[in-house]
Amino acid sequence: KRLDIYRNNYRVSLTGALADHFERLHAYLGDDQFDAIASAYLAAHPSATRNLRYYGGEMPGFLARHFPNDAELAELAALDWALRHAFDAPDAPPLDAVRVGALGDGWIEARLALHPSARLLSMDHNSAAIWSALSAEDTPPELVALDPPVMVLVWRNDLQPQFRSVSAEEARALAVIEAGASFTGLSVRIIEELGEAAAMESLAAWLGQWLADGVLVSADQPLAVT
């Protein structure tokens, strides 16, 4: 009997952790459907961590496999998890206009990286709009398939996790930075893709947005645990 009580309490704790980590997915599904999915997930993915804040990372893939005709579930879960990751991610001083100015002209040759909290997600549906409506406690819009898919950037600005959609070109630029390119290296790639005039215009707009958002860091600086 004591073991049964322990097992039940353990399942309740893990289900509660999943409901907290996937808050918008929970709101979208409702208690009964979410609890049923959580129970199936618990059976397929027992906890392997002592810290429950890290439990649930396989949920988006689990939903994609088991609910292929309801792809918004996996996308909502991926956005929930990415925002959770953004909150818990290590800290690093973002590059801003002041830091770039202090580095002088040499900054364009320095290796760049995305802030440790940053992730890019590809969404085939208007799941980001559904997530936003659920967050505002509004009625979510009807599900719409997107062609082409939309890229969503998730990151932490100061202490606040947030996200925004980005164009396919900006997403590719961010992927180049994620690979450790300098701004000079990025510029060469974008000029090859868009041509010089369009590339210069796009790079100027992106750089201003990235510095304001705090998504760029120096690739060689140490990280700090938040």
Side-chain angles (χ1 to χ4, degrees), residues 94-95 113-115 118 153 155 174 209-211 213-217:
L95 291 174
L114 298 184
H115 192 275
L153 173 66
W155 80 102
L174 289 167
Q209 187 70 59
W210 296 339
L211 295 179
D213 288 344
V215 299
L216 296 184
V217 299

Side-chain angles (χ1 to χ4, degrees), residues 76-180:
L76 286 171
L79 185 52
D80 270 335
W81 189 255
L83 288 163
R84 171 69 58 163
H85 162 80
F87 183 80
D88 290 334
D91 201 10
L95 291 174
D96 56 18
V98 173
R99 288 192 174 91
V100 167
L103 290 171
D105 293 341
W107 89 270
I108 64 173
E109 301 295 343
R111 290 176 60 248
L112 300 175
L114 298 184
H115 192 275
S117 65
R119 287 187 177 182
L120 281 167
L121 304 176
S122 177
M123 295 196 169
D124 294 317
H125 300 82
N126 60 328
S127 301
I130 293 173
W131 192 100
S132 295
L134 292 168
S135 180
E137 299 184 352
D138 292 334
T139 301
E142 293 293 326
L143 182 66
V144 176
L146 304 177
D147 186 20
V150 167
M151 299 301 296
V152 174
L153 173 66
V154 181
W155 80 102
R156 184 180 71 236
N157 193 351
D158 291 329
L159 298 177
Q160 183 62 47
Q162 50 196 279
F163 66 90
R164 65 176 176 88
S165 61
V166 300
S167 67
E169 293 81 8
E170 184 180 359
R172 287 194 291 272
L174 289 167
V176 172
I177 291 173
E178 190 173 25

Side-chain angles (χ1 to χ4, degrees), residues 2 5 7-8 13 28 46 60 65 77 83 97-98 103 106 130 134 140 154 165-166 173 190 200 207 211 218:
R2 290 175 181 172
I5 292 172
R7 280 192 291 267
N8 182 64
S13 295
Y28 186 71
R65 290 191 301 275
L83 288 163
V98 173
L103 290 171
I130 293 173
L134 292 168
V154 181
S165 61
V166 300
I190 300 304
M200 292 300 100
L207 180 60
L211 295 179
S218 170

